Amino acid sequence: MAFSIATWNINSVRLRMPLVERFLLEYAPDVLSLQETKCANDVFPAAAFRKLGYEHIAINGQKGYHGVATVARRPIEIVERRRFCENDDCRHVSVRFDAGGKSLLLHNFYVPAGGDEPDPEINRKFRHKLDFVAEMNAIRAEHDEVSGSVLVGDLNIAPLEHDVWSHKQLLNVVSHTPVETTGFEAMRKAGGWIDLMRHGVPDDQKLYTWWSYRAQDWQASNRGRRLDHVWCSANLVPHFAGYEILREARGWERPSDHVPVIARFDLN
DNA sequence: ATGGTTGCAACGCAA
């Protein structure tokens, strides 16, 4: 049984609902996790998702900032909206659903961006980001014979050298500093998570999911970063059937600065 | 070396 999970930082779900519709109609993932929905739960465009066949919706939103949502064609059970760093930011929602005889736990994360100054002593947003990633150590890739875990989202860190357009030039830029990338990879491994976007892909192959709005021509300069991720528990790796970074979506009208990533699995 | 853009919401802040 084939199924697919997509993740996309949409940068305002209400503003970009036409792009979401286009994406769902063309690619029809079974499950879609969104980040930066930027709206409170009572104004989330649930009716539009239902009309597109995504009748099962788990949201954790707030007015104006952050916010995550997972929508699905199949029934999903909301598991948790976890708080991190003892504040009320809406940055996580987890759901459980059945797929091909297995019960899957799907975490959807929006990790703090961290501001511009990569010094936790003078930049509280960077401190918050480091603390948030440290707290993610509690999120483990739980699995047994009948269950598995997937973690997706905008994690706002590009961990490997070729996850950015220039390793050297970004070493002191928030998202690729050694303190971030080291803590990030340690957290991932401690949790038992597999980085599926690098599974079977050479480490020296460039992978980007985000291109800044500030470039004059994002396509020509191609100064991207891999900020969006798909992880899973080890027992799902044999069922992984490949993935796609939807680069073209960066060129759609009024785009998000992130593009969707679609991961495919085959169970049974 | 610097500044470049976008969204929210209604000013500057977050990204």
Side-chain angles (χ1 to χ4, degrees):
Chain A
M1 181 228 169
F3 77 96
S4 55
I5 300 174
T7 180
W8 194 6
N9 177 320
I10 195 62
N11 188 16
S12 176
V13 68
R14 288 182 294 173
L15 185 69
R16 280 184 241 289
M17 203 56 210
L19 299 190
V20 175
E21 281 191 36
R22 175 174 177 179
F23 172 68
L24 292 178
L25 289 171
E26 284 184 31
Y27 293 89
D30 292 294
V31 182
L32 169 63
S33 286
L34 296 168
Q35 303 85 35
E36 280 208 88
T37 50
K38 292 190 172 178
C39 65
N41 294 344
D42 60 350
V43 292
F44 184 86
F49 281 98
R50 284 194 214 101
K51 198 177 262 185
L52 290 157
Y54 293 79
E55 297 178 17
H56 308 280
I57 298 173
I59 45 182
N60 184 16
Q62 67 186 82
K63 185 180 178 180
Y65 301 98
H66 323 313
V68 292
T70 294
V71 302
R73 299 175 172 285
R74 69 185 68 220
I76 55 176
E77 170 201 346
I78 185 155
V79 174
E80 187 180 17
R81 301 174 175 91
R82 190 181 283 233
R83 293 174 75 251
F84 286 80
C85 303
E86 297 177 332
N87 69 35
D88 292 326
D89 285 5
C90 297
R91 298 182 176 277
H92 168 266
V93 66
S94 55
V95 301
R96 184 175 287 286
F97 56 92
D98 292 320
K102 273 199 166 61
S103 170
L104 297 190
L105 177 61
L106 171 64
H107 292 278
N108 175 6
F109 271 99
Y110 176 51
V111 171
D116 289 332
E117 179 55 60
D119 180 348
E121 300 302 319
I122 60 178
N123 176 8
R124 67 199 317 172
K125 286 182 282 193
F126 194 66
R127 173 81 270 155
H128 178 213
K129 182 179 198 176
L130 298 181
D131 290 346
F132 192 101
V133 171
E135 269 187 44
M136 284 177 71
N137 274 292
I139 307 293
R140 302 287 165 148
E142 296 168 16
H143 68 279
D144 58 26
E145 309 76 38
V146 293
S147 72
S149 296
V150 177
L151 186 156
V152 301
D154 175 7
L155 305 185
N156 265 318
I157 292 172
L160 305 186
E161 282 196 33
H162 295 281
D163 291 336
V164 294
W165 63 275
S166 169
H167 174 61
K168 270 190 180 174
Q169 287 178 256
L170 289 173
L171 270 173
N172 202 35
V173 173
V174 171
S175 75
H176 194 62
T177 64
V179 64
E180 289 171 90
T181 58
T182 303
F184 183 86
E185 284 292 85
M187 175 273 288
R188 179 178 65 75
K189 289 170 187 168
W193 296 105
I194 308 300
D195 177 0
L196 279 181
M197 294 178 68
R198 281 291 177 192
H199 187 75
V201 174
D203 278 355
D204 64 353
Q205 182 178 326
K206 294 287 189 188
L207 290 178
Y208 310 143
T209 64
W210 172 91
W211 292 261
S212 172
Y213 284 128
R214 298 178 191 180
Q216 283 184 13
D217 183 336
W218 70 273
Q219 216 159 2
S221 59
N222 197 27
R223 294 181 168 187
R225 304 178 201 170
R226 181 169 73 111
L227 302 180
D228 303 274
H229 297 269
V230 181
W231 297 351
C232 75
S233 53
N235 67 328
L236 294 183
V237 173
H239 301 285
F240 179 51
Y243 76 98
E244 191 175 350
I245 299 174
L246 210 65
R247 192 183 205 271
E248 64 166 80
R250 185 62 179 79
W252 290 353
E253 195 180 335
R254 289 201 86 183
S256 169
D257 45 357
H258 296 252
V259 299
V261 179
I262 310 162
R264 299 192 168 81
F265 297 85
D266 214 334
L267 289 165
N268 299 343

